[in-house]
Amino acid sequence: MKIGIAGCGGIGSNVACHLVRTGIDYLKFGDFDKIEESNLNRQFFFKNQVGLYKSETLAKNLKAINPDGIFDFEIIKFNRNNIKDFFSDCDIVVEAFDKKEFKAMLIEELLPMGKIIVSASGIGHWDTENIRTKEIGKNLIIAGDFEKDTDDYKTYSHKVGIVAAIMAGKVLEKGGYL
């Protein structure tokens, strides 16, 4: 099974880190953003990496965990015209976008292709009490509290980390790695 990650911010970078730490040695991911100092409170990046591209830097950080791993990345802004091609060879795709319209676009484009999608909803705020997962059909799994959106609440490392760890677990489970 090949695993793709759409977005390399808080969810994407942390899911990638968890997967590599559990032995996954191939990932494919993309993002167009650069690391900002405000990202350091929840993303798998460091102060000396501010200003660098997230996808390229994530590959380097993952190589520090597993030097033999293969981490295909692209500096890319996903849209309806390129997302299918980018993830065409992936069986499982982690949706790690901030914006609702990109989340919807990924699901609308990739779910009909039979991709297993692991997504997040409700990672804002510090409260972790109501984090859970929902499976919609056999190929869509969503983790989060389903209420506290990042548009309305600050994000905190511990909550992003918990949701990312749950998502990584679902990827491992659905991919038959467990």
Side-chain angles (χ1 to χ4, degrees):
M1 287 244 166
K2 285 190 174 180
I3 302 166
I5 301 176
C8 299
I11 291 294
S13 66
N14 282 294
V15 168
C17 179
H18 289 304
L19 290 173
V20 171
R21 289 184 190 277
T22 56
I24 300 300
D25 59 4
Y26 174 81
L27 293 173
K28 182 178 187 177
F29 47 85
D31 198 317
F32 70 96
D33 270 345
K34 290 184 177 182
I35 301 160
E36 298 176 19
E37 193 155 342
S38 64
N39 301 151
L40 301 179
N41 72 335
R42 66 193 180 282
Q43 298 181 6
F44 180 49
F45 301 114
F46 305 95
K47 192 165 182 96
N48 65 328
Q49 297 173 328
V50 170
L52 302 176
Y53 284 103
K54 289 180 183 180
S55 57
E56 181 177 24
T57 307
L58 179 58
K60 289 177 183 173
N61 290 352
L62 296 174
K63 281 282 193 185
I65 297 169
N66 180 359
D68 298 324
I70 300 167
F71 307 115
D72 290 339
F73 70 90
E74 194 169 320
I75 298 165
I76 182 172
K77 184 169 185 172
F78 290 110
N79 59 50
R80 289 190 187 275
N81 296 322
N82 64 19
I83 199 161
K84 286 186 200 178
D85 285 342
F86 188 88
F87 293 112
S88 64
D89 60 342
C90 295
D91 304 291
I92 301 174
V93 178
V94 173
E95 177 280 307
F97 292 132
D98 294 334
K99 297 184 187 291
K100 292 175 190 171
E101 59 269 19
F102 285 96
K103 292 175 176 290
M105 182 241 340
L106 181 140
I107 292 168
E108 290 166 3
E109 295 296 328
L110 299 184
L111 201 57
M113 295 174 68
K115 306 293 181 192
I116 297 169
I117 299 170
V118 181
S119 183
S121 176
I123 62 167
H125 200 259
W126 52 265
D127 176 35
T128 59
E129 227 172 87
N130 296 314
I131 293 174
R132 61 195 184 284
T133 61
K134 287 184 186 179
E135 292 200 24
I136 301 169
K138 66 176 191 165
N139 284 1
L140 179 59
I141 302 97
I142 306 171
D145 69 17
F146 300 90
E147 294 175 15
K148 296 182 179 84
D149 195 285
T150 57
D151 288 342
D152 303 317
Y153 298 93
K154 282 180 59 175
T155 50
Y156 294 88
S157 180
H158 69 286
K159 188 170 187 180
V160 171
I162 290 168
V163 173
I166 290 169
M167 291 172 70
K170 289 297 181 181
V171 168
L172 295 168
E173 177 187 323
K174 291 293 185 179
Y177 297 102
L178 299 176

